[in-house]
Amino acid sequence: MIARWVKSNENLYRTAKLLRDIGGFPMRQPGSLTRMVTIWKIYTKTMLPPIRLFNICDAVESINRRGIPGDLVECGVWSGGSIALMALWDLRQNSDRRYHAFDSFEGLPPPIPADNEVFESFTSGGQGSIVSGNLTWTGLCQGDGADTVRAFFSRVGVPQNRTVLHVGWFQNTVPAATADIHSISILRIDGDWYDSTKTCLDHLYDVVSPGGLIIIDDYGTFSGCRKAVDEFREQRNIEASIEYIDDGCVQFAKPANNEQSSSTNIVNATLS
Ligand SMILES: C[S@@+](CC[C@H](N)C(=O)[O-])C[C@H]1O[C@@H](n2cnc3c(N)ncnc32)[C@H](O)[C@@H]1O
């Protein structure tokens, strides 16, 4: 009841959330106060912890400093906070990138057997039988609707003419979008499940620019997501080292042609 009341007042909710998380912000990092000012704008619209929000700023600075071409893409945006941060941080660098937000805007589809522990608890929780490939609304992890996210973007200054909302299941929207997205500098995948993650890698990895960053939010959290990433890397012989941002989120850099590179080296080298 109190929690619902706090959430209904955006400024109160933002302040309460910030006070709760303040210890998690790496405040000694140079430029952290400027980052906090931007993070403040999107803070009620993301479920990401502070370290992953700072990682987004690092990643955007890194691709801009290295001149890596391509749009910024997030698959799994929930209420839009993390893709808005990517866009707002990028706008400081005077780029002409577009920002792509993929989501059902209705929450998660059902997990499948490859999602192991989640699939088991989902089915044993009596949440219905699941037919693989038959995507239906589960009510899990539902953020704001697409119109509310659009209104949030314009309120915080994410330019409408450079932003594309891809509304629907990844399994439909991601393959269709490859006709329009020709290069990506950051591919951020935050879709929790095996099939959601795999669909995005299968269809979007090939248009990530060499040196571009692939960030997987749930690698350490959900075994289905990890399986999708590991299988994909094995199929494609990707040896670029995986860098842990925290226990759950990882990133790796797409190697420059015929080169295996480490995102740690790329990001660190360009931050110094
Ligand atoms: C953990 S939330 C994303 C959190 C978000 N990045 C943030 O900043 O808070 C996962 C999102 O992925 C979306 N999602 C997962 N699988 C999907 C699929 N197959 N198609 C469409 N949306 C999907 C859900 O609707 C949900 O909004």
Side-chain angles (χ1 to χ4, degrees):
M1 172 95 167
I2 293 178
R4 202 178 311 151
W5 176 72
V6 170
K7 279 191 177 176
S8 69
N9 178 322
E10 191 166 2
N11 274 329
L12 190 60
Y13 176 42
R14 202 191 325 251
T15 308
K17 193 172 177 230
L18 195 69
L19 287 175
R20 185 197 67 189
D21 296 346
I22 194 77
F25 283 98
M27 294 306 290
R28 295 207 176 147
Q29 204 167 306
S32 49
L33 269 180
T34 324
R35 288 177 173 197
M36 291 289 287
V37 171
T38 305
I39 289 171
W40 176 254
K41 295 183 188 170
I42 59 90
Y43 206 43
T44 57
K45 301 291 188 179
T46 181
M47 50 176 82
L48 300 193
I51 188 106
R52 295 187 201 177
L53 297 174
F54 266 53
N55 167 249
I56 285 177
C57 298
D58 284 342
V60 171
E61 286 176 18
S62 169
I63 51 113
N64 277 316
R65 195 164 299 146
R66 289 180 292 125
I68 306 294
D71 294 346
L72 304 183
V73 174
E74 185 172 51
C75 303
V77 304
W78 192 60
S79 295
S82 42
I83 182 68
L85 178 61
M86 288 163 81
L88 292 176
W89 207 248
D90 179 61
L91 286 166
R92 294 163 38 98
Q93 335 266 322
N94 225 355
S95 87
D96 59 357
R97 302 179 196 278
R98 290 184 303 161
Y99 313 118
H100 297 270
F102 287 87
D103 209 291
S104 65
F105 297 95
E106 291 187 289
L108 292 162
I112 61 171
D115 290 299
N116 301 313
E117 74 286 357
V118 187
F119 178 74
E120 277 161 31
S121 66
F122 187 84
T123 43
S124 68
Q127 299 188 58
S129 63
I130 292 138
V131 181
S132 176
N134 177 16
L135 300 182
T136 50
W137 181 75
T138 62
L140 296 171
C141 199
Q142 184 171 7
D144 289 334
D147 287 345
T148 307
V149 171
R150 273 194 199 95
F152 159 65
F153 285 170
S154 76
R155 182 157 50 85
V156 295
V158 176
Q160 212 177 342
N161 61 351
R162 281 167 56 183
T163 308
V164 189
L165 263 65
H166 302 262
V167 182
W169 300 118
F170 297 163
Q171 288 80 347
N172 303 320
T173 56
V174 169
T178 54
D180 177 47
I181 304 179
H182 303 296
S183 91
I184 295 175
S185 51
I186 299 179
L187 173 60
R188 191 170 198 287
I189 302 180
D190 192 358
D192 297 13
W193 300 160
Y194 173 87
D195 203 42
S196 300
T197 307
K198 186 165 188 313
T199 300
C200 299
L201 286 171
D202 281 348
H203 293 279
L204 296 176
Y205 181 83
D206 287 336
V207 285
V208 175
S209 304
L213 296 172
I214 296 97
I215 304 174
I216 312 279
D217 194 81
D218 306 300
Y219 185 82
T221 310
F222 295 118
S223 68
C225 169
R226 189 162 54 251
K227 182 179 163 71
V229 175
D230 291 346
E231 279 178 8
F232 182 82
R233 283 169 50 94
E234 198 178 323
Q235 275 163 15
R236 299 297 193 94
N237 293 320
I238 298 168
E239 290 173 10
S241 63
I242 287 186
E243 177 193 3
Y244 277 83
I245 306 308
D246 59 17
D247 287 354
C249 180
V250 300
Q251 68 181 10
F252 60 95
K254 182 166 181 176
N257 297 331
N258 299 325
E259 175 205 325
Q260 296 296 344
S261 58
S262 136
S263 67
T264 315
N265 293 343
I266 286 176
V267 174
N268 289 347
T270 55
L271 285 175
S272 55

